[in-house]
PDB file of all heavy atoms in Angstrom:
ATOM      1  N   GLY B  84     -68.720-117.304  74.954  1.00 97.00           N
ATOM      2  CA  GLY B  84     -69.758-117.628  74.052  1.00 97.00           C
ATOM      3  C   GLY B  84     -69.950-119.145  73.860  1.00 97.00           C
ATOM      4  O   GLY B  84     -69.013-119.891  74.180  1.00 97.00           O
ATOM      5  N   THR B  85     -71.116-119.561  73.345  1.00 96.00           N
ATOM      6  CA  THR B  85     -71.292-121.025  73.195  1.00 96.00           C
ATOM      7  C   THR B  85     -71.769-121.371  71.792  1.00 96.00           C
ATOM      8  O   THR B  85     -72.074-120.491  71.003  1.00 96.00           O
ATOM      9  CB  THR B  85     -72.375-121.467  74.147  1.00 96.00           C
ATOM     10  OG1 THR B  85     -73.569-120.713  73.948  1.00 96.00           O
ATOM     11  CG2 THR B  85     -71.925-121.327  75.671  1.00 96.00           C
ATOM     12  N   ILE B  86     -71.658-122.674  71.509  1.00 96.00           N
ATOM     13  CA  ILE B  86     -72.120-123.307  70.288  1.00 96.00           C
ATOM     14  C   ILE B  86     -73.259-124.345  70.695  1.00 96.00           C
ATOM     15  O   ILE B  86     -73.096-125.036  71.648  1.00 96.00           O
ATOM     16  CB  ILE B  86     -71.091-123.985  69.521  1.00 96.00           C
ATOM     17  CG1 ILE B  86     -69.850-123.102  69.272  1.00 96.00           C
ATOM     18  CG2 ILE B  86     -71.487-124.515  68.179  1.00 96.00           C
ATOM     19  CD1 ILE B  86     -68.592-123.789  68.765  1.00 96.00           C
ATOM     20  N   SER B  87     -74.292-124.304  69.922  1.00 94.00           N
ATOM     21  CA  SER B  87     -75.395-125.297  70.197  1.00 94.00           C
ATOM     22  C   SER B  87     -74.898-126.684  69.939  1.00 94.00           C
ATOM     23  O   SER B  87     -74.039-126.949  69.093  1.00 94.00           O
ATOM     24  CB  SER B  87     -76.652-125.033  69.367  1.00 94.00           C
ATOM     25  OG  SER B  87     -76.324-125.210  67.983  1.00 94.00           O
ATOM     26  N   GLN B  88     -75.407-127.671  70.714  1.00 92.00           N
ATOM     27  CA  GLN B  88     -74.991-128.989  70.739  1.00 92.00           C
ATOM     28  C   GLN B  88     -75.144-129.712  69.311  1.00 92.00           C
ATOM     29  O   GLN B  88     -74.247-130.474  68.938  1.00 92.00           O
ATOM     30  CB  GLN B  88     -75.755-129.878  71.768  1.00 92.00           C
ATOM     31  CG  GLN B  88     -75.352-129.593  73.221  1.00 92.00           C
ATOM     32  CD  GLN B  88     -73.932-129.921  73.504  1.00 92.00           C
ATOM     33  OE1 GLN B  88     -73.381-130.896  73.083  1.00 92.00           O
ATOM     34  NE2 GLN B  88     -73.328-129.075  74.379  1.00 92.00           N
ATOM     35  N   ASN B  89     -76.196-129.251  68.671  1.00 94.00           N
ATOM     36  CA  ASN B  89     -76.398-129.952  67.406  1.00 94.00           C
ATOM     37  C   ASN B  89     -75.471-129.378  66.285  1.00 94.00           C
ATOM     38  O   ASN B  89     -75.425-129.983  65.195  1.00 94.00           O
ATOM     39  CB  ASN B  89     -77.916-129.767  66.910  1.00 94.00           C
ATOM     40  CG  ASN B  89     -78.327-128.300  66.825  1.00 94.00           C
ATOM     41  OD1 ASN B  89     -77.611-127.442  67.279  1.00 94.00           O
ATOM     42  ND2 ASN B  89     -79.395-128.024  66.049  1.00 94.00           N
ATOM     43  N   GLU B  90     -74.817-128.302  66.545  1.00 94.00           N
ATOM     44  CA  GLU B  90     -73.802-127.754  65.600  1.00 94.00           C
ATOM     45  C   GLU B  90     -72.374-128.244  65.911  1.00 94.00           C
ATOM     46  O   GLU B  90     -71.518-128.106  65.048  1.00 94.00           O
ATOM     47  CB  GLU B  90     -73.765-126.210  65.672  1.00 94.00           C
ATOM     48  CG  GLU B  90     -74.897-125.545  64.849  1.00 94.00           C
ATOM     49  CD  GLU B  90     -74.592-124.074  64.744  1.00 94.00           C
ATOM     50  OE1 GLU B  90     -74.322-123.444  65.843  1.00 94.00           O
ATOM     51  OE2 GLU B  90     -74.512-123.558  63.634  1.00 94.00           O
ATOM     52  N   MET B  91     -72.133-128.741  67.128  1.00 94.00           N
ATOM     53  CA  MET B  91     -70.820-128.969  67.588  1.00 94.00           C
ATOM     54  C   MET B  91     -69.944-129.780  66.681  1.00 94.00           C
ATOM     55  O   MET B  91     -68.840-129.528  66.368  1.00 94.00           O
ATOM     56  CB  MET B  91     -70.881-129.698  68.946  1.00 94.00           C
ATOM     57  CG  MET B  91     -69.718-129.379  69.885  1.00 94.00           C
ATOM     58  SD  MET B  91     -69.845-127.829  70.734  1.00 94.00           S
ATOM     59  CE  MET B  91     -71.027-128.120  71.989  1.00 94.00           C
ATOM     60  N   GLN B  92     -70.484-130.994  66.244  1.00 94.00           N
ATOM     61  CA  GLN B  92     -69.635-131.899  65.355  1.00 94.00           C
ATOM     62  C   GLN B  92     -69.367-131.331  64.022  1.00 94.00           C
ATOM     63  O   GLN B  92     -68.213-131.353  63.558  1.00 94.00           O
ATOM     64  CB  GLN B  92     -70.431-133.220  65.252  1.00 94.00           C
ATOM     65  CG  GLN B  92     -69.469-134.400  65.166  1.00 94.00           C
ATOM     66  CD  GLN B  92     -70.128-135.706  65.384  1.00 94.00           C
ATOM     67  OE1 GLN B  92     -71.261-135.735  65.747  1.00 94.00           O
ATOM     68  NE2 GLN B  92     -69.367-136.800  65.151  1.00 94.00           N
ATOM     69  N   SER B  93     -70.343-130.650  63.453  1.00 96.00           N
ATOM     70  CA  SER B  93     -70.103-130.081  62.076  1.00 96.00           C
ATOM     71  C   SER B  93     -69.179-128.924  62.139  1.00 96.00           C
ATOM     72  O   SER B  93     -68.284-128.699  61.269  1.00 96.00           O
ATOM     73  CB  SER B  93     -71.484-129.618  61.428  1.00 96.00           C
ATOM     74  OG  SER B  93     -72.067-128.576  62.133  1.00 96.00           O
ATOM     75  N   LYS B  94     -69.260-128.085  63.189  1.00 97.00           N
ATOM     76  CA  LYS B  94     -68.359-127.001  63.343  1.00 97.00           C
ATOM     77  C   LYS B  94     -66.941-127.420  63.583  1.00 97.00           C
ATOM     78  O   LYS B  94     -65.939-126.756  63.155  1.00 97.00           O
ATOM     79  CB  LYS B  94     -68.848-125.976  64.420  1.00 97.00           C
ATOM     80  CG  LYS B  94     -70.101-125.238  64.114  1.00 97.00           C
ATOM     81  CD  LYS B  94     -70.012-124.386  62.871  1.00 97.00           C
ATOM     82  CE  LYS B  94     -71.305-123.614  62.648  1.00 97.00           C
ATOM     83  NZ  LYS B  94     -71.260-122.852  61.343  1.00 97.00           N
ATOM     84  N   GLN B  95     -66.772-128.536  64.349  1.00 97.00           N
ATOM     85  CA  GLN B  95     -65.510-129.096  64.603  1.00 97.00           C
ATOM     86  C   GLN B  95     -64.781-129.412  63.324  1.00 97.00           C
ATOM     87  O   GLN B  95     -63.620-129.141  63.069  1.00 97.00           O
ATOM     88  CB  GLN B  95     -65.601-130.305  65.555  1.00 97.00           C
ATOM     89  CG  GLN B  95     -64.199-130.988  65.846  1.00 97.00           C
ATOM     90  CD  GLN B  95     -64.382-132.195  66.645  1.00 97.00           C
ATOM     91  OE1 GLN B  95     -65.255-132.273  67.529  1.00 97.00           O
ATOM     92  NE2 GLN B  95     -63.637-133.225  66.349  1.00 97.00           N
ATOM     93  N   LYS B  96     -65.588-130.061  62.402  1.00 97.00           N
ATOM     94  CA  LYS B  96     -64.998-130.462  61.027  1.00 97.00           C
ATOM     95  C   LYS B  96     -64.728-129.261  60.278  1.00 97.00           C
ATOM     96  O   LYS B  96     -63.708-129.205  59.590  1.00 97.00           O
ATOM     97  CB  LYS B  96     -66.029-131.426  60.405  1.00 97.00           C
ATOM     98  CG  LYS B  96     -65.465-132.264  59.276  1.00 97.00           C
ATOM     99  CD  LYS B  96     -66.562-133.214  58.671  1.00 97.00           C
ATOM    100  CE  LYS B  96     -66.905-134.298  59.738  1.00 97.00           C
ATOM    101  NZ  LYS B  96     -67.953-135.247  59.165  1.00 97.00           N
ATOM    102  N   ASP B  97     -65.639-128.306  60.221  1.00 98.00           N
ATOM    103  CA  ASP B  97     -65.481-127.033  59.406  1.00 98.00           C
ATOM    104  C   ASP B  97     -64.261-126.318  59.893  1.00 98.00           C
ATOM    105  O   ASP B  97     -63.491-125.707  59.022  1.00 98.00           O
ATOM    106  CB  ASP B  97     -66.724-126.210  59.518  1.00 98.00           C
ATOM    107  CG  ASP B  97     -67.931-126.698  58.889  1.00 98.00           C
ATOM    108  OD1 ASP B  97     -67.856-127.706  58.169  1.00 98.00           O
ATOM    109  OD2 ASP B  97     -69.048-126.239  59.209  1.00 98.00           O
ATOM    110  N   LEU B  98     -64.055-126.247  61.229  1.00 98.00           N
ATOM    111  CA  LEU B  98     -62.860-125.399  61.704  1.00 98.00           C
ATOM    112  C   LEU B  98     -61.589-126.093  61.311  1.00 98.00           C
ATOM    113  O   LEU B  98     -60.713-125.356  60.867  1.00 98.00           O
ATOM    114  CB  LEU B  98     -63.041-125.402  63.286  1.00 98.00           C
ATOM    115  CG  LEU B  98     -61.932-124.646  64.005  1.00 98.00           C
ATOM    116  CD1 LEU B  98     -61.900-123.173  63.586  1.00 98.00           C
ATOM    117  CD2 LEU B  98     -62.208-124.711  65.555  1.00 98.00           C
ATOM    118  N   GLU B  99     -61.457-127.370  61.371  1.00 98.00           N
ATOM    119  CA  GLU B  99     -60.314-128.088  61.012  1.00 98.00           C
ATOM    120  C   GLU B  99     -60.024-127.875  59.484  1.00 98.00           C
ATOM    121  O   GLU B  99     -58.860-127.677  59.094  1.00 98.00           O
ATOM    122  CB  GLU B  99     -60.342-129.593  61.311  1.00 98.00           C
ATOM    123  CG  GLU B  99     -59.034-130.365  61.112  1.00 98.00           C
ATOM    124  CD  GLU B  99     -59.222-131.825  61.521  1.00 98.00           C
ATOM    125  OE1 GLU B  99     -59.401-132.022  62.708  1.00 98.00           O
ATOM    126  OE2 GLU B  99     -59.145-132.654  60.622  1.00 98.00           O
ATOM    127  N   LEU B 100     -61.035-128.087  58.707  1.00 98.00           N
ATOM    128  CA  LEU B 100     -60.861-127.822  57.227  1.00 98.00           C
ATOM    129  C   LEU B 100     -60.484-126.437  56.877  1.00 98.00           C
ATOM    130  O   LEU B 100     -59.554-126.294  56.001  1.00 98.00           O
ATOM    131  CB  LEU B 100     -62.206-128.244  56.530  1.00 98.00           C
ATOM    132  CG  LEU B 100     -62.577-129.635  56.418  1.00 98.00           C
ATOM    133  CD1 LEU B 100     -64.061-129.823  55.889  1.00 98.00           C
ATOM    134  CD2 LEU B 100     -61.662-130.407  55.426  1.00 98.00           C
ATOM    135  N   GLU B 101     -61.066-125.487  57.533  1.00 98.00           N
ATOM    136  CA  GLU B 101     -60.721-124.115  57.221  1.00 98.00           C
ATOM    137  C   GLU B 101     -59.282-123.785  57.635  1.00 98.00           C
ATOM    138  O   GLU B 101     -58.556-123.070  56.883  1.00 98.00           O
ATOM    139  CB  GLU B 101     -61.719-123.172  57.956  1.00 98.00           C
ATOM    140  CG  GLU B 101     -61.538-121.641  57.669  1.00 98.00           C
ATOM    141  CD  GLU B 101     -61.772-121.301  56.243  1.00 98.00           C
ATOM    142  OE1 GLU B 101     -62.714-121.831  55.593  1.00 98.00           O
ATOM    143  OE2 GLU B 101     -61.164-120.270  55.679  1.00 98.00           O
ATOM    144  N   ALA B 102     -58.887-124.285  58.818  1.00 98.00           N
ATOM    145  CA  ALA B 102     -57.489-124.039  59.298  1.00 98.00           C
ATOM    146  C   ALA B 102     -56.535-124.575  58.275  1.00 98.00           C
ATOM    147  O   ALA B 102     -55.491-124.020  57.942  1.00 98.00           O
ATOM    148  CB  ALA B 102     -57.344-124.551  60.701  1.00 98.00           C
ATOM    149  N   ASN B 103     -56.731-125.812  57.947  1.00 98.00           N
ATOM    150  CA  ASN B 103     -55.800-126.550  56.998  1.00 98.00           C
ATOM    151  C   ASN B 103     -55.717-125.956  55.677  1.00 98.00           C
ATOM    152  O   ASN B 103     -54.762-125.912  54.921  1.00 98.00           O
ATOM    153  CB  ASN B 103     -55.980-128.026  57.052  1.00 98.00           C
ATOM    154  CG  ASN B 103     -55.567-128.708  58.363  1.00 98.00           C
ATOM    155  OD1 ASN B 103     -54.412-128.371  58.805  1.00 98.00           O
ATOM    156  ND2 ASN B 103     -56.437-129.498  58.942  1.00 98.00           N
ATOM    157  N   ALA B 104     -56.878-125.351  55.158  1.00 98.00           N
ATOM    158  CA  ALA B 104     -56.975-124.665  53.983  1.00 98.00           C
ATOM    159  C   ALA B 104     -55.985-123.483  53.950  1.00 98.00           C
ATOM    160  O   ALA B 104     -55.300-123.146  53.031  1.00 98.00           O
ATOM    161  CB  ALA B 104     -58.374-124.262  53.570  1.00 98.00           C
ATOM    162  N   LEU B 105     -56.119-122.702  55.057  1.00 97.00           N
ATOM    163  CA  LEU B 105     -55.202-121.512  55.242  1.00 97.00           C
ATOM    164  C   LEU B 105     -53.760-121.926  55.389  1.00 97.00           C
ATOM    165  O   LEU B 105     -52.893-121.224  54.778  1.00 97.00           O
ATOM    166  CB  LEU B 105     -55.661-120.659  56.460  1.00 97.00           C
ATOM    167  CG  LEU B 105     -56.964-120.005  56.353  1.00 97.00           C
ATOM    168  CD1 LEU B 105     -57.301-119.241  57.598  1.00 97.00           C
ATOM    169  CD2 LEU B 105     -57.042-118.993  55.184  1.00 97.00           C
ATOM    170  N   ILE B 106     -53.486-123.035  56.025  1.00 98.00           N
ATOM    171  CA  ILE B 106     -52.113-123.488  56.119  1.00 98.00           C
ATOM    172  C   ILE B 106     -51.526-123.930  54.787  1.00 98.00           C
ATOM    173  O   ILE B 106     -50.443-123.545  54.423  1.00 98.00           O
ATOM    174  CB  ILE B 106     -52.041-124.742  57.071  1.00 98.00           C
ATOM    175  CG1 ILE B 106     -52.288-124.282  58.533  1.00 98.00           C
ATOM    176  CG2 ILE B 106     -50.737-125.436  56.949  1.00 98.00           C
ATOM    177  CD1 ILE B 106     -52.494-125.453  59.547  1.00 98.00           C
ATOM    178  N   SER B 107     -52.357-124.533  53.916  1.00 98.00           N
ATOM    179  CA  SER B 107     -51.894-124.890  52.529  1.00 98.00           C
ATOM    180  C   SER B 107     -51.676-123.640  51.703  1.00 98.00           C
ATOM    181  O   SER B 107     -50.788-123.686  50.810  1.00 98.00           O
ATOM    182  CB  SER B 107     -52.911-125.795  51.911  1.00 98.00           C
ATOM    183  OG  SER B 107     -54.139-125.197  51.715  1.00 98.00           O
ATOM    184  N   LEU B 108     -52.448-122.602  51.990  1.00 97.00           N
ATOM    185  CA  LEU B 108     -52.203-121.379  51.166  1.00 97.00           C
ATOM    186  C   LEU B 108     -50.888-120.612  51.608  1.00 97.00           C
ATOM    187  O   LEU B 108     -50.226-120.045  50.825  1.00 97.00           O
ATOM    188  CB  LEU B 108     -53.405-120.425  51.374  1.00 97.00           C
ATOM    189  CG  LEU B 108     -54.596-120.610  50.567  1.00 97.00           C
ATOM    190  CD1 LEU B 108     -55.703-119.778  51.014  1.00 97.00           C
ATOM    191  CD2 LEU B 108     -54.404-120.626  49.045  1.00 97.00           C
ATOM    192  N   GLY B 109     -50.646-120.740  52.907  1.00 97.00           N
ATOM    193  CA  GLY B 109     -49.454-120.053  53.398  1.00 97.00           C
ATOM    194  C   GLY B 109     -49.713-118.610  53.604  1.00 97.00           C
ATOM    195  O   GLY B 109     -50.781-118.068  53.338  1.00 97.00           O
ATOM    196  N   GLY B 110     -48.701-117.893  54.086  1.00 97.00           N
ATOM    197  CA  GLY B 110     -48.760-116.419  54.314  1.00 97.00           C
ATOM    198  C   GLY B 110     -47.778-116.095  55.459  1.00 97.00           C
ATOM    199  O   GLY B 110     -47.537-116.768  56.394  1.00 97.00           O
ATOM    200  N   LYS B 111     -47.192-114.878  55.319  1.00 97.00           N
ATOM    201  CA  LYS B 111     -46.236-114.469  56.319  1.00 97.00           C
ATOM    202  C   LYS B 111     -46.762-114.217  57.702  1.00 97.00           C
ATOM    203  O   LYS B 111     -47.887-113.726  57.832  1.00 97.00           O
ATOM    204  CB  LYS B 111     -45.587-113.062  55.795  1.00 97.00           C
ATOM    205  CG  LYS B 111     -44.411-112.721  56.610  1.00 97.00           C
ATOM    206  CD  LYS B 111     -43.849-111.269  56.144  1.00 97.00           C
ATOM    207  CE  LYS B 111     -42.795-110.688  57.081  1.00 97.00           C
ATOM    208  NZ  LYS B 111     -42.458-109.309  56.839  1.00 97.00           N
ATOM    209  N   VAL B 112     -46.045-114.567  58.752  1.00 97.00           N
ATOM    210  CA  VAL B 112     -46.311-114.257  60.079  1.00 97.00           C
ATOM    211  C   VAL B 112     -45.316-113.240  60.564  1.00 97.00           C
ATOM    212  O   VAL B 112     -44.154-113.484  60.447  1.00 97.00           O
ATOM    213  CB  VAL B 112     -46.249-115.539  61.032  1.00 97.00           C
ATOM    214  CG1 VAL B 112     -46.652-115.217  62.389  1.00 97.00           C
ATOM    215  CG2 VAL B 112     -47.250-116.541  60.527  1.00 97.00           C
ATOM    216  N   SER B 113     -45.822-112.117  61.149  1.00 94.00           N
ATOM    217  CA  SER B 113     -44.954-111.055  61.518  1.00 94.00           C
ATOM    218  C   SER B 113     -45.216-110.582  62.927  1.00 94.00           C
ATOM    219  O   SER B 113     -46.331-110.737  63.464  1.00 94.00           O
ATOM    220  CB  SER B 113     -45.086-109.762  60.570  1.00 94.00           C
ATOM    221  OG  SER B 113     -46.464-109.327  60.624  1.00 94.00           O
ATOM    222  N   ALA B 114     -44.248-109.958  63.578  1.00 94.00           N
ATOM    223  CA  ALA B 114     -44.364-109.410  64.970  1.00 94.00           C
ATOM    224  C   ALA B 114     -43.682-108.034  64.956  1.00 94.00           C
ATOM    225  O   ALA B 114     -42.500-107.916  64.466  1.00 94.00           O
ATOM    226  CB  ALA B 114     -43.658-110.256  65.967  1.00 94.00           C
TER     227      ALA B 114
END
């Protein structure tokens, strides 16, 4: 799948912010 060029930069920023927000919340990782 693809992302439109005009969204690329904003989605890059959003993805990093969302990932780090989940990291700060924490949560168990299981296998």
Side-chain angles (χ1 to χ4, degrees):
T85 58
I86 306 171
S87 62
Q88 288 299 320
N89 61 343
E90 276 193 306
M91 209 80 79
Q92 212 163 352
S93 64
K94 291 300 183 187
Q95 180 182 324
K96 200 176 288 182
D97 292 347
L98 182 57
E99 187 177 297
L100 285 169
E101 185 65 30
N103 286 316
L105 290 178
I106 289 169
S107 65
L108 283 173
K111 187 185 173 192
V112 178
S113 61

